[in-house]
Amino acid sequence: EVQLVESGGGLVQPGGSLRLSCAASGFTFSSYWMSWVRQAPGKGLEWVANIKQDGSDKYYMDSVKGRFTISRDNAKNSLYLQINSLRAEDTAVYYCARAKWLDYWGQGTLVTVSS
Amino acid sequence: QTVVTQEPSLTVSPGGTVTLTCASNTGAVTSGYYPNWFQQKPGQVPRALIYSTSNKYSWTPARFSGSLLGGKGVLTLSGVQPEDEAEYYCLIYSGGASWVFGGGTKLTVL
């Protein structure tokens, strides 16, 4: 059974940083692109970033370029999202999802940016 | 910057058929945009329904189908069930290995 479990969310002040993690199991993690998607409270889905199987290629939505960094550790079956210079508009549930197609999703982790 | 547009809301009667569309401001949505469709019910995690225009997952009910029509990605629900009431999102490839979601369509079954 494919499982994705996010962690690392929380309350952070504007300008702060967080590192989100996603633990994957039930599939060959190193064989798949992986993605992050977010959803602000009461709003729609927003594609954030994705990363190639070996980590050599990474892509981001425009508004997070330079502030967010996606990475992975295939030995640990884990995906990460380092988020810096946080803004109020980054408040959202952050989901990790498998592949470019986003076929499987985790339960999400809530990031709240507030002073 | 790619903007993807969906109908904000649609209403359908049980047993009826409804079509949801996905348009891009950059031009016609073609197979090269690899349109995907997702369903999200209140308080739940999104669930993938369709990938790459028309391909279904093992869990996708047969009444859901994807296609292209008139320069848009299309999700058709035939024989709508009450449990199909949900928000539906399309996702398309916008180039440069980036993807963009549409704003979502709230489907009411009434």
Side-chain angles (χ1 to χ4, degrees), chain A residues 41-102:
Chain A
K43 302 296 184 182
L45 300 173
E46 194 169 43
W47 180 88
V48 174
N50 65 13
I51 184 169
K52 195 176 179 179
Q53 289 91 331
D54 62 358
S56 59
D57 291 324
K58 307 173 185 182
Y59 301 94
Y60 303 90
M61 63 181 294
D62 287 345
S63 65
V64 308
K65 286 179 182 176
R67 298 191 300 122
F68 289 18
T69 302
I70 189 172
S71 62
R72 65 192 296 162
D73 185 335
N74 287 342
K76 295 183 178 180
N77 289 338
S78 292
L79 176 71
Y80 306 101
L81 187 68
Q82 177 70 39
I83 47 179
N84 299 328
S85 303
L86 278 159
R87 307 166 180 169
E89 55 265 34
D90 295 320
T91 294
V93 174
Y94 285 73
Y95 297 101
C96 73
R98 192 180 78 164
K100 294 180 180 180
W101 299 151
L102 315 180

Side-chain angles (χ1 to χ4, degrees), chain B residues 14-82:
Chain B
T17 296
V18 65
T19 298
L20 287 67
T21 68
C22 178
S24 172
N25 67 332
T26 62
V29 174
T30 65
S31 58
Y33 284 71
Y34 306 102
N36 290 252
W37 292 91
F38 302 85
Q39 178 193 63
Q40 187 179 32
K41 296 180 179 180
Q44 294 187 15
V45 175
R47 179 176 74 144
L49 291 174
I50 300 288
Y51 67 97
S52 193
T53 303
S54 59
N55 297 281
K56 300 181 184 183
Y57 294 96
S58 59
W59 56 79
T60 304
R63 60 185 180 275
F64 290 84
S65 63
S67 62
L68 298 172
L69 185 65
K72 298 180 181 181
V74 172
L75 177 69
T76 302
L77 286 71
S78 304
V80 172
Q81 302 297 307

Side-chain angles (χ1 to χ4, degrees), chain B residues 1-27:
Chain B
Q1 181 173 343
T2 301
V3 176
V4 179
T5 301
Q6 300 180 241
E7 297 84 1
S9 64
L10 292 169
T11 299
V12 61
S13 300
T17 296
V18 65
T19 298
L20 287 67
T21 68
C22 178
S24 172
N25 67 332
T26 62

